[in-house]
């Protein structure tokens, strides 16, 4: 069965990097993109993805706020959220967990780190 992945990332090069890793993963994936937290929440509700990769530093709504909304609203709280961010200090790791994320992957990241998070779908 084809899995849906939502990538919420405002920076085009970072969005393309994630898309490239996902598209070359050897899996049947439908990848949906959003450019900020507000758009990401709307697309999560509409498409009901199986996994969300979420940046933190974005316009309109940051990733922590978006994550808190995604993980507390009944229609999206079942969707695992992986924060992918340059904010990768110990406090950021703790904050990611407090907002409901499964984990935080720091930028720059390796293909293997993203693929390991993708393995959550198995």
């Amino acid at each position: 069965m084809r899995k849906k992945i939502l990538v919420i990332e405002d920076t085009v090069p970072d969005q393309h990097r994630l898309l490239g890793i996902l598209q070359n993963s050897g899996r049947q994936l439908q990848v949906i993109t959003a450019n900020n937290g507000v758009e990401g929440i709307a697309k999560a509700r509409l498409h009901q993805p199986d996994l969300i990769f979420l940046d933190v530093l974005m316009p309109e709504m940051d990733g922590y706020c978006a994550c808190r909304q995604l993980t507390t609203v009944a229609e999206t709280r079942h969707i695992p959220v992986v924060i992918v961010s340059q904010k990768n200090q110990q406090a950021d790791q703790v904050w990611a967990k407090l907002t409901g994320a499964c984990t935080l992957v720091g930028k720059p990241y390796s293909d293997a780190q993203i693929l390991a998070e993708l393995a959550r779908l198995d």
Side-chain angles (χ1 to χ4, degrees):
M1 186 166 125
R2 192 173 190 162
K3 300 289 185 175
K4 288 186 213 173
I5 309 297
L6 175 59
V7 173
I8 307 172
E9 170 64 66
D10 66 316
T11 307
V12 173
D14 289 335
Q15 194 179 87
H16 287 167
R17 171 111 169 87
L18 269 172
L19 291 174
I21 294 168
L22 296 171
Q23 290 168 344
N24 293 318
S25 69
R27 295 172 172 257
Q28 295 288 343
L29 300 174
Q30 176 186 355
V31 182
I32 303 153
T33 60
N35 296 312
N36 60 59
V38 173
E39 182 183 354
I41 290 170
K43 287 190 175 184
R45 288 180 175 149
L46 177 66
H47 297 285
Q48 293 292 304
D50 298 292
L51 179 65
I52 297 172
F53 288 102
L54 174 64
D55 186 25
V56 171
L57 302 173
M58 296 183 294
E60 295 192 43
M61 178 187 293
D62 73 32
Y64 291 135
C65 185
C67 187
R68 192 169 28 259
Q69 288 190 34
L70 288 164
T71 59
T72 58
V73 175
E75 63 190 316
T76 55
R77 71 173 163 226
H78 65 282
I79 305 167
V81 177
V82 175
I83 291 182
V84 182
S85 178
Q86 291 176 332
K87 295 178 66 67
N88 191 23
Q89 300 300 313
Q90 184 63 32
D92 301 307
Q93 296 277 348
V94 170
W95 191 245
K97 292 280 188 184
L98 289 173
T99 60
C102 297
T103 192
L104 185 149
V105 175
K107 293 178 184 176
Y109 49 81
S110 68
D111 292 15
Q113 287 174 288
I114 299 301
L115 295 174
E117 295 308 320
L118 191 59
R120 291 180 181 276
L121 300 176
D122 295 336

